[in-house]
Amino acid sequence: SLCLSESNMTELYPLFKHKHKTCVGLRVLLFTARGLGMLVDAQWIRNRLMRVLPHIIDTVLLLSAIALVIILQAYPFQSGWVNAKIIGLIVYIALGVVALKKGKTKKVRATAFILGLITVGYIASVAVTHNPMPW
């Protein structure tokens, strides 16, 4: 049956959490590599794999996040820390676009890249502490 019992969902939690954390790690690693590549004008950041791979990772990341929200019943607008992660994600995406595509100068791109990494640190700390103000 498509309906999962509470115990089945609890058993699935470690699987989805592991997938989510793995994708986060891959995403941060890829963003860091692409950001550093951008800073040194590396040609490899423009190849097809570097354009497709982030979308694949992001899709698995999003699906695992949705599964975790459902399992934890920590829905947006009901849970402050989930809201903080979503807002942080939106900021991270905007900074990533500036850093890797839309920044007019290398200084603007580098600044957006560093702020993007700081934002990822904030999102991770919110995820660990379940507190929108983890400091």
Side-chain angles (χ1 to χ4, degrees):
S1 129
L2 289 176
C3 274
L4 293 173
S5 69
E6 190 172 322
S7 66
N8 287 345
M9 287 183 22
T10 303
E11 290 172 14
L12 290 174
Y13 175 79
L15 172 72
F16 285 111
K17 185 176 180 181
H18 178 72
K19 281 190 182 310
H20 189 73
K21 289 169 73 174
T22 299
C23 287
V24 167
L26 290 171
R27 192 65 180 97
V28 172
L29 183 66
L30 188 59
F31 178 69
T32 302
R34 291 173 71 203
L36 294 173
M38 171 274 303
L39 291 173
V40 298
D41 296 316
Q43 293 302 309
W44 60 263
I45 65 171
R46 292 173 184 79
N47 76 28
R48 183 170 175 80
L49 180 63
M50 288 299 114
R51 288 193 317 265
V52 173
L53 190 57
H55 300 293
I56 294 168
I57 294 169
D58 289 346
T59 299
V60 176
L61 184 59
L62 179 61
L63 292 173
S64 64
I66 291 169
L68 289 170
V69 162
I70 292 168
I71 291 168
L72 291 174
Q73 297 181 3
Y75 303 109
F77 310 114
Q78 294 178 347
S79 180
W81 71 273
V82 174
N83 294 341
K85 282 185 65 174
I86 292 169
I87 292 167
L89 177 61
I90 292 166
V91 171
Y92 167 74
I93 290 168
L95 289 167
V97 168
V98 172
L100 299 176
K101 293 181 183 178
K102 303 288 184 185
K104 300 285 187 213
T105 67
K106 183 91 49 137
K107 184 176 179 180
V108 168
R109 287 177 169 227
T111 301
F113 171 59
I114 291 166
L115 290 173
L117 291 174
I118 291 168
T119 303
V120 165
Y122 168 74
I123 295 167
S125 63
V126 169
V128 169
T129 64
H130 290 193
N131 184 341
M133 293 189 277
W135 49 86

